[in-house]
Amino acid sequence: MGDIKDLSDHQNFTYSDAAGDDLYNDIMKLIDQYASQGAISATDAVGILEWAKTTLIIMNTTFIED
């Protein structure tokens, strides 16, 4: 990722699942939109993605109570 100069430069992501590609590209477009408006920084974007990832993991985890 050292070659990426800003968020909009990452156009080479490919994956065999079209829905996954679409979701990735939509997320990147939103990040680029908010970053270009100055609403979020790259650090904010990473934190937001980590928060979303953690939320998805928790929402889709079945906890077994003893």
Side-chain angles (χ1 to χ4, degrees):
M1 284 186 53
D3 295 344
I4 299 172
K5 305 217 179 346
D6 64 46
L7 295 173
S8 62
D9 284 346
H10 192 56
Q11 301 297 323
N12 295 324
F13 177 81
T14 58
Y15 187 68
S16 61
D17 177 12
D21 285 350
D22 290 345
L23 179 59
Y24 171 85
N25 288 321
D26 288 346
I27 291 168
M28 290 304 292
K29 285 177 190 173
L30 280 171
I31 290 170
D32 185 49
Q33 175 187 342
Y34 282 96
S36 66
Q37 294 171 357
I40 63 170
S41 68
T43 303
D44 294 332
V46 170
I48 292 164
L49 290 172
E50 284 297 317
W51 169 71
K53 180 182 81 172
T54 301
T55 301
L56 285 168
I57 290 169
I58 291 170
M59 288 173 45
N60 290 290
T61 300
T62 302
F63 296 97
I64 300 171
E65 296 184 24
D66 292 330

